[in-house]
Amino acid sequence: MPNRREFLSYPAVAMFAPACASAPELDSALGALANMGERAPEEVAADESAWRDIQQAFTVDRSQINLNNGGVSPAPRLVQEAHKRRLDFSNENSARHLWEILEPQKEHVREGLARLFGSDKEEIAITRNASESLENCLLGAALGRGDEVVTTEQDYPRMLTALDQRARRDGIVVRKLSLPVPCEDFDEIVRRFEAALGERTKLILICHVINITGQIMPVRRIVELGRRRGIPVVVDGAHGFAHLDFRRDDLDCDFYGTSLHKWLFAPHGTGMLYVRRERIRELWPLFAADAKQSDDIRKFEEIGTHPAAPLLSIGEALLFHHGIGPARKEARMRYLRDHWAKRLLRNERVHLNTSLRREYSCGVANLRIDGLDMSKLRGHLWSEYKIYTTYIGPPLPAQTEGLRITPSVYTTLDELDRFCEAIETVLLEGLPA
Ligand SMILES: Cc1ncc(COP(=O)(O)O)c(C=O)c1O
């Protein structure tokens, strides 16, 4: 692993470093991690001294324990400061500063995202969130009456709503497959998809990582399956991007949409859409764009006046992400998950709706306890301990019911121990009536 000077000279990083007026913040945020040499990610993940500076790089309220980082993440101080500076600058002379100075800088961010994702920058659109990215794909695909889209019951509700609306409006047919929970058999998932594809199937929608259970999907295999039949796959990467260490070619997909305010720790209201170059023309943007832009990825950014500050501060989030190192971040997320999950699993009433095996999950996991109302448990954890979790329940598929636990790189082992102690107390004493 690089020292700070080497790190700042990386091409993906160097483009942001000069614009980053907060070098001391970067220094203190990355501190110990910058000098970890060539140690394996798993070894660094288990070294608490390496993570102390990262924990302090966030301004989270430590009187609470936030275990819902999967919903939306806080940004590190470095990103917050950059965001605020740009917001101030945008308000000094809005039209000139927004459109003449800040907007053109977006191209650096596009380049940085493309390098991290492993695509060309002309295939990356900067959006406001995963919903916008994916709705461009789901509503913009040319589908007619009777055409089928195959997806799963566990895909994100808003994305399913987009498809259901198309069913009502355009007469498409949406097939939602059920999936085993947890699933440690990719062959079974691929078999279910294969069996569902038919003559009229025109599109597949899958998650990279399912948000309610943390299940990693066999994206590349489903993409291969689809490609053999000429069916493109839209990948919902809301929980995959900047959480798992991967590149576009590992998935080989044609469409990938993600938020950046989840695992990249960019400002709220930031997202990314990847569309393979050859497919840009065929996809209609959500907001109308000029015919001249048909092959231009920027046609997905024609949303009218919008703030530049969050979008440009994706740059600092990229800097922070590269500073941690994608492989070390993934390893740390798994380490944190194992820390709480393996302790609680010692009690035979505790189960996970998530596999603990490396290829099937990472930092997001879903917990279930025999004989306990998980919705009430969530309320109790908050009211009694100020521990914030997510209840997964109806109308989501019944076999996914549980508490979703998503720590983040800033979460301390002590916080996870306090969470475990709270659950252990409930296991002993039950929930208050
Ligand atoms: C799997 C998945 N897809 C899409 C989204 C939508 O993300 P956003 O609300 O940032 O658009 C989420 C949000 O939690 C998600 O978990």
Side-chain angles (χ1 to χ4, degrees):
M1 274 295 158
N3 62 32
R4 181 176 189 277
R5 225 186 48 215
E6 287 161 344
F7 160 69
L8 286 176
S9 69
Y10 284 2
V13 170
M15 70 178 69
F16 300 113
C20 180
S22 35
E25 285 160 17
L26 188 64
D27 263 345
S28 61
L30 299 177
L33 270 180
N35 294 312
M36 281 288 158
E38 294 304 323
R39 291 169 57 190
E42 287 71 22
E43 199 188 324
V44 176
D47 180 345
E48 286 317 293
S49 67
W51 297 93
R52 238 161 252 142
D53 297 323
I54 297 294
Q55 289 158 0
Q56 288 172 20
F58 288 78
T59 59
V60 294
D61 178 353
R62 296 285 176 179
S63 70
Q64 313 171 7
I65 299 177
N66 179 13
L67 298 179
N68 178 9
N69 290 282
V72 63
S73 175
R77 188 180 286 108
L78 169 82
V79 173
Q80 292 179 42
E81 293 302 327
H83 186 184
K84 288 176 203 161
R85 281 197 305 277
R86 292 193 177 102
L87 197 57
D88 286 344
F89 186 64
S90 305
N91 283 293
E92 285 173 14
N93 177 346
S94 297
R96 190 176 119 71
H97 289 189
L98 274 179
W99 296 333
E100 291 183 34
I101 300 175
L102 295 176
E103 191 68 21
Q105 292 175 21
K106 207 166 145 184
E107 294 307 310
H108 295 295
V109 172
R110 193 186 313 282
E111 172 98 34
L113 288 170
R115 282 179 193 261
L116 177 60
F117 188 64
S119 72
D120 192 281
K121 92 189 240 296
E122 294 303 318
E123 299 174 309
I124 296 290
I126 301 168
T127 65
R128 290 170 292 185
N129 48 46
S131 303
E132 182 175 314
S133 301
L134 294 163
E135 295 214 19
N136 265 294
C137 300
L138 302 177
L139 301 179
L143 300 174
R145 183 163 295 278
D147 286 343
E148 290 182 10
V149 179
V150 174
T151 182
T152 80
E153 291 171 345
Q154 293 181 37
D155 269 71
Y156 192 65
R158 186 175 293 109
M159 281 37 265
L160 297 180
T161 297
L163 291 174
D164 289 341
Q165 182 177 288
R166 276 207 85 166
R168 296 198 301 280
R169 183 172 174 173
D170 302 324
I172 68 164
V173 176
V174 186
R175 305 191 63 181
K176 298 169 192 161
L177 309 183
S178 75
L179 295 175
V181 178
C183 183
E184 297 187 338
D185 181 1
F186 280 162
D187 289 345
E188 175 59 22
I189 297 183
V190 174
R191 261 196 303 275
R192 291 188 190 193
F193 271 87
E194 192 156 20
L197 301 182
E199 286 296 303
R200 298 297 307 260
T201 312
K202 293 290 176 350
L203 198 67
I204 295 172
L205 165 70
I206 49 170
C207 283
H208 190 179
V209 175
I210 294 177
N211 68 304
I212 48 184
T213 60
Q215 173 79 45
I216 296 177
M217 290 287 281
V219 173
R220 193 186 173 100
R221 291 186 56 188
I222 293 172
V223 168
E224 278 166 7
L225 177 69
R227 195 161 284 145
R228 283 201 297 277
R229 297 162 180 246
I231 305 167
V233 177
V234 174
V235 182
D236 178 340
H239 286 278
F241 190 70
H243 177 192
L244 303 179
D245 178 22
F246 74 98
R247 312 269 293 164
R248 188 272 314 270
D249 287 348
D250 298 324
L251 308 182
D252 205 25
C253 57
D254 291 347
F255 305 98
Y256 191 95
T258 184
S259 304
L260 301 175
H261 46 226
K262 291 186 192 280
W263 298 106
L264 187 67
F265 312 148
H268 304 152
T270 53
M272 177 187 99
L273 169 63
Y274 157 79
V275 182
R276 192 181 289 277
R277 194 187 280 263
E278 308 85 88
R279 293 216 174 257
I280 295 173
R281 171 170 281 266
E282 74 196 46
L283 193 65
W284 291 96
L286 271 182
F287 278 60
D290 193 278
K292 288 198 289 293
Q293 289 180 289
S294 295
D295 291 306
D296 187 347
I297 191 75
R298 292 164 194 76
K299 73 181 181 182
F300 301 109
E301 297 171 0
E302 291 295 340
I303 59 168
T305 303
H306 54 273
L311 303 191
L312 292 186
S313 307
I314 295 169
E316 278 73 14
L318 283 165
L319 201 58
F320 189 75
H321 181 70
H322 286 293
I324 295 180
R328 296 192 299 205
K329 184 171 175 183
E330 177 178 329
R332 178 67 174 177
M333 290 303 300
R334 223 170 250 122
Y335 181 80
L336 294 174
R337 190 269 324 265
D338 283 350
H339 185 84
W340 68 263
K342 289 188 173 165
R343 171 168 166 179
L344 291 181
L345 282 171
R346 283 191 230 134
N347 186 304
E348 60 188 19
R349 286 171 63 201
V350 174
H351 309 276
L352 286 187
N353 291 325
T354 308
S355 163
L356 288 186
R357 287 172 57 191
R358 196 179 187 287
E359 58 273 51
Y360 302 112
S361 72
C362 188
V364 177
N366 173 320
L367 165 78
R368 172 167 56 81
I369 300 177
D370 292 340
L372 270 192
D373 178 328
M374 299 306 280
S375 163
K376 286 204 179 124
L377 176 61
R378 179 195 189 253
H380 178 69
L381 287 173
W382 178 248
S383 60
E384 190 66 24
Y385 300 98
K386 290 288 167 281
I387 297 175
Y388 193 66
T389 58
T390 318
Y391 171 63
I392 306 296
L396 294 165
Q399 74 273 33
T400 65
E401 182 167 9
L403 279 196
R404 188 186 70 175
I405 307 299
T406 50
S408 186
V409 293
Y410 68 79
T411 310
T412 65
L413 297 188
D414 175 62
E415 287 167 334
L416 293 177
D417 288 337
R418 279 152 59 200
F419 163 64
C420 290
E421 281 157 25
I423 297 282
E424 284 158 357
T425 305
V426 174
L427 282 165
L428 273 178
E429 299 173 4
L431 287 168

